[in-house]
Amino acid sequence: MIDAPENRAESLERLKTFLRIPSISTLPENKPDIRLAAEFVLGELKSAGLSTRLIVDSEGGGNPLVYGEWLGAAGKPTVLCYGHYDVQPPDPLDEWKSPPFEPDVRGDDIFARGSSDDKGQTYILIRAVAGLLKTHGRLPVNVRFLVEGEEETGGEHIERYVATRPPELACDAAIICDTEMFAPGLPTICVGLRGIVYGELHVEGANHDLHSGVYGGAAPNPIQAIAEILTALKDRDGRIRIPGFHARIVPPGDEERQAWTRLPFNEDEYTRAEMGARELTGEPDIPLFERLWARPTLEVHGIRGGFAGEGAKTVIPARAVAKLSARLVADQDPGEAFEQLQRAVAAACPRGVTAEFRLIHGAAPSLVDPRNRFIRAAAEAMTGVFGRETVYIRSGGSIPIVGLFDRHLGIPSVMMGFGLPDDNLHAPNEKLHLPNFFRGIVAVARYLELLGE
Ligand code: BES
Ligand code: MN
């Protein structure tokens, strides 16, 4: 019934409305859109029949948290549904085939920023609950919703909120739709995520820009210094050279490693079609899925400084900044990893410049034990709806709330993802496969029903 054509049509129309709101959390000029997106989620939950409110950090700032609850299933478990309504910036804009905030259905896919990450998937949770309430007038379990607007920028305010262990978050497990299926049609539960330390490396040389002919050979160059620091921190084989960085890493067990080798995978297609790359890089002696899911990374995201416009300018810049992040795996600690990075930067800093690594945000890695009843019920629901055995994978991405739910609420997170590997998350032409959207709604509803039995 949830899957009735009129419900599908309405789900799709409402999703488009949600996707039209450019709720980009990192850009100050989109603050009003953040508000609109929060109000959209609030309105959807309210019209589904939940009690709702917006939670705004009392110390000011922070994007609203949307809270909703339906607690009429006495004696049944309580499930906390988490999602995020904020999105990444859409640029480079000219690479989009249709405008990022004008959702466009082409074939079986809907294209828009946030379609997969995470408005479309958050909306799966909302429509599942709304559909159950509409059909039966009640839910098989108790349900709470927590939908945030800062996930893509590190989730600073939700961290403070969850750390206070508020009574309205009392629950038995969380469900999150913000991950990917391993392959089309293959139901997938994600049981591990990497953490992250994101920061800026500030390097200063002379106190003003210098003529590169007149001073070259004597002047320190901050961009060269950044290059030297980066190559000292990670070698040509992709091995991180930060003292102590690997000390806490727990390698995956044999059973999990074995399961990864059975996943349907074509490395050439992954490299050429999905990534559009020439070849894979990284630690040569470590299998691919372990490199992606169970090893830390160090990546540079951008370098600012000097002259980067058209044409030529002969200058030695006075300063430069590099944006860096390290992905972390269990049991690395973001605070400790940040300090290790700071020390490694100081040790690698060449003569004539100062270098300082400043934190922007951090999140802990997470691992969920797949043997609990919530994950088992989710796998059963997914297997039933997709008609194939559910696989368990990890993911290299980060969802900070998973570690926080574990640490502060002591609850497992069930990550039922309906994205696909070619959804173009954070990239131009992000899309969501509509059959996954509709099946996702049915699978989440089925999951809640199984938990209520
Ligand atoms: N949904 C993604 C993370 C993800 C992507 C998990 C694919 C599994 C598969 C999430 O919204 C995201 O992108 N998170 C950021 C978090 C960071 C800014 C703290 C990330 O991983 O870069
Ligand atoms: Mn996401």
Side-chain angles (χ1 to χ4, degrees), residues 84 116-118 151-152 178 398-399 426:
H84 61 95
S116 181
D117 185 10
D118 183 39
E151 197 272 352
E152 299 290 3
D178 194 19
S398 309
I399 305 177
H426 298 197

Side-chain angles (χ1 to χ4, degrees), residues 403-437:
L404 300 173
F405 282 166
D406 177 33
R407 187 160 127 221
H408 299 296
L409 308 182
I411 54 158
S413 290
V414 175
M415 291 182 269
M416 277 171 104
F418 302 101
L420 286 178
D422 65 351
D423 274 353
N424 295 320
L425 307 186
H426 298 197
N429 304 304
E430 180 179 348
K431 57 117 174 122
L432 178 64
H433 191 53
L434 284 170
N436 285 5
F437 175 63

Side-chain angles (χ1 to χ4, degrees), residues 18 36-46 52 66 85 122 126 147:
F18 193 15
L36 286 176
E39 279 163 5
F40 176 89
V41 173
L42 190 88
E44 291 297 302
L45 291 174
K46 192 175 284 180
T52 57
V66 185
Y85 63 77
T122 298
I126 297 176
V147 184

Side-chain angles (χ1 to χ4, degrees), residues 194-199 233 240-249 295-298 324-346 357-365:
R194 288 196 282 206
I196 192 168
V197 171
Y198 197 113
L233 264 47
I240 295 173
R241 295 290 181 196
I242 301 171
F245 209 66
H246 297 81
R248 288 186 197 280
I249 295 177
R295 296 288 290 176
T297 66
L298 181 69
L324 308 181
S325 78
R327 297 279 170 172
L328 311 176
V329 296
D331 279 328
Q332 284 182 286
D333 171 78
E336 184 182 61
F338 173 62
E339 284 167 16
Q340 290 168 335
L341 257 159
Q342 278 188 312
R343 279 197 294 273
V345 163
F357 186 60
R358 301 181 194 159
L359 184 69
I360 295 183
H361 62 70

